[in-house]
DNA sequence: CGCGGGATAGACAGAACTGTCTGTTCGTGG
DNA sequence: CCACGAACAGACAGTTCTGTCTATCCCGCG
C-alpha cells in the first residue's frame, strides 16, 4: 500500500523525485536537466529512480501532469475563481493572478511551452504539452460559455494568445505584462459579447 | 580576403556552417543539436568548424544575428513595409505576413524565445535573445511613433505580446492565430490613438 | 526472530557531447 | 613551380548522459 503522503513524515522516494524534478524542469526545461542531477538532489538511489520512472520520458510526463494539477488547476483556475463573482470577472481575474505570479519568487515560466519548444510538436512530450495547453484553454472556454459570450472556443484561442504572450514577456523581464494583457483581454470580451 | 559569396559558386565553409545551423537551430533549438551534426551536414572538417567558431556558443550567437537579419528585418520588417502605405497599415500588415508564414513550409518558430527558454535569462545566450527581442520591439515602437500613437514604447510591449502569443499558438497548430492576433491588434491601435 | 520489500551506494556500459590535434590535400598567387 | 593558407578526414581526450546491475541495508510485519 502506497501511503498518501502523511504530512510531517519524510516524503517517499517517489514524492521526493517528483518534487525535485518539478523545481528543476519548470525553471530550466527538460533538456538542460539530467537524471543524475534529479537523483542527487532527491537523495535517492539510481535504482530507486528507475524503478519508479522507467525512463526520463516517463518522469517528464509525470512532471507535466503535476504541473497541470498544481499550476493550471491549483493556481490559474482556483485562484482566479476566488477573485471574482461572475464568470466574466473570473476570466479577467486570471491576469490578476498572473500579475502576482510574475512578481513573486515562485515565477517559473510556462513549462508546457518550454517543453513544446525543446522537443518539437511531433515528439511525444511535445504532443503531451499541446494537450495540456488545450486543457488550459478548455477552462477559459468553459468560463466564456458561462459568461454568455459567443463562440467560446474561438474566444478561448484568442484569450490564450494573451496568456502565452504575457508569460513570455514576463520571462523577458516585463513585470507589467499581465496588466497589458488584461487591458487587451477586457477589449476581447467586448468583441465577443 | 573573404570573398562575399559570389552567387553560383560553392559557398565557403563558413557560409555552409551558418546555413546548416540556421536550419537546424531554428527548428530544433540549440540544446537538441550538437556540433557534430552541424559539422557533418555542412560537409566541413571539425578543425575548420572550430577555426571559424571557437565554441558552440559563438556559433549560436552568429545564428541569432543571422536570424535577426533574415527574419526580424528581412521577413517581418521588410515584408510588412511593402504591404502598407501608412505606418498604421504597415503595423497591421505584420500579422498578414505572419499569416502567410504560419501556413508556409518555412514556418520554423521563434528562435529568440526558444533559446531564451532553453538557456534561461541569465545565460549569455538568453541575454542575447532578450536583446534581439528588444530590437524587434523597437521596429514596432518606431512605427507606432510614425503613426502618431501615444506612448509608442508601451504600445510596442502590448503589441509584442500579440506577436509572441500568436507564434506560439501557430506552433501548437492553430493556423488562424495571426488573424486572431490581428483583430486584437486593431483594437489595441484604437486604444493608443 | 526472521523474512521480504523497498531503499541505499555506486560501479559499469554505451552513446553522445564539446573541443583538440595530427597529418594530408588542393588551389592560387608570386 | 613552389609555397602558403585553407579546408580536408578523422583519431583522440575528457566529460556527461541515460539506463543497467550488483550488493548491501534497514524496517515493519508475521
Amino acid at each position: 500500500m502506497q501511503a498518501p503522503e502523511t504530512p510531517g513524515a519524510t516524503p517517499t522516494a517517489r514524492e521526493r523525485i517528483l518534487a525535485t524534478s518539478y523545481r528543476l524542469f519548470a525553471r530550466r526545461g527538460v533538456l538542460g536537466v539530467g537524471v543524475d542531477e534529479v537523483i542527487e538532489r532527491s537523495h535517492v538511489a539510481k535504482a530507486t529512480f528507475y524503478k519508479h520512472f522507467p525512463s526520463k520520458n516517463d518522469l517528464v510526463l509525470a512532471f507535466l501532469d503535476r504541473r497541470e494539477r498544481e499550476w493550471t488547476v491549483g493556481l490559474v483556475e482556483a485562484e482566479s475563481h476566488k477573485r471574482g463573482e461572475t464568470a466574466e470577472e473570473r476570466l479577467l481575474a486570471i491576469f490578476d493572478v498572473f500579475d502576482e505570479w510574475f512578481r513573486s519568487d515562485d515565477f517559473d515560466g510556462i513549462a508546457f511551452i518550454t517543453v513544446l519548444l525543446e522537443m518539437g510538436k511531433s515528439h511525444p512530450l511535445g504532443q503531451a504539452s499541446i494537450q495540456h495547453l488545450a486543457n488550459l484553454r478548455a477552462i477559459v472556454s468553459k468560463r466564456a460559455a458561462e459568461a454568455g459570450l459567443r463562440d467560446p472556443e474561438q474566444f478561448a484561442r484568442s484569450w490564450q494568445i494573451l496568456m502565452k504572450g504575457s508569460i513570455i514577456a514576463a520571462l523577458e523581464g516585463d513585470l507589467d505584462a499581465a496588466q497589458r494583457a488584461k487591458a487587451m483581454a477586457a477589449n476581447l470580451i467586448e468583441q465577443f459579447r
Side-chain angles (χ1 to χ4, degrees), chain A:
Chain A
M1 199 58 179
Q2 184 79 343
E5 284 309 317
T6 4
T10 309
T12 64
R14 179 171 226 277
E15 177 54 30
R16 290 203 307 277
I17 294 168
L18 278 171
T20 302
S21 56
Y22 189 92
R23 256 182 298 125
L24 297 181
F25 287 158
R27 294 192 183 261
R28 289 165 39 195
V30 296
L31 289 182
V33 176
V35 294
D36 277 355
E37 183 175 356
V38 174
I39 285 164
E40 196 200 325
R41 297 172 84 136
S42 305
H43 304 107
V44 145
K46 204 156 193 178
T48 308
F49 174 89
Y50 277 100
K51 182 180 204 311
H52 289 291
F53 304 98
S55 77
K56 184 184 176 180
N57 250 321
D58 295 294
L59 175 63
V60 177
L61 287 173
F63 157 68
L64 292 174
D65 279 345
R66 172 164 293 211
R67 185 69 177 174
E68 178 163 302
R69 281 202 304 281
E70 298 199 3
W71 184 78
T72 305
V73 177
L75 180 74
V76 181
E77 184 176 33
E79 282 299 314
S80 63
H81 183 94
K82 281 188 211 161
R83 297 180 192 219
E85 295 293 322
T86 68
E88 206 175 292
E89 286 170 6
R90 284 168 179 162
L91 274 174
L92 281 170
I94 289 176
F95 291 104
D96 296 331
V97 174
F98 275 14
D99 193 57
E100 261 191 33
W101 181 45
F102 291 170
R103 293 175 149 77
S104 83
D105 291 338
D106 293 339
F107 179 51
D108 49 8
I110 175 152
F112 305 138
I113 291 178
T114 305
V115 174
L116 173 61
L117 292 184
E118 282 183 297
M119 309 308 297
K121 70 171 181 177
S122 50
H123 189 282
L125 293 179
Q127 296 278 346
S129 301
I130 289 177
Q131 184 57 53
H132 285 294
L133 287 167
N135 296 346
L136 169 59
R137 200 165 55 238
I139 294 171
V140 174
S141 168
K142 180 155 165 287
R143 280 196 191 156
E146 283 170 25
L149 300 181
R150 59 179 176 78
D151 216 337
E153 186 55 44
Q154 301 298 312
F155 171 85
R157 287 190 179 271
S158 288
W159 189 272
Q160 204 178 29
I161 288 177
L162 297 173
M163 292 176 52
K164 292 168 191 161
S166 64
I167 295 172
I168 302 288
L171 277 170
E172 267 179 85
D174 181 2
L175 287 183
D176 301 327
Q179 290 163 25
R180 302 181 208 289
K182 189 180 180 185
M184 292 189 275
N187 255 291
L188 189 67
I189 289 179
E190 291 309 313
Q191 303 296 316
F192 277 79
R193 211 189 287 281

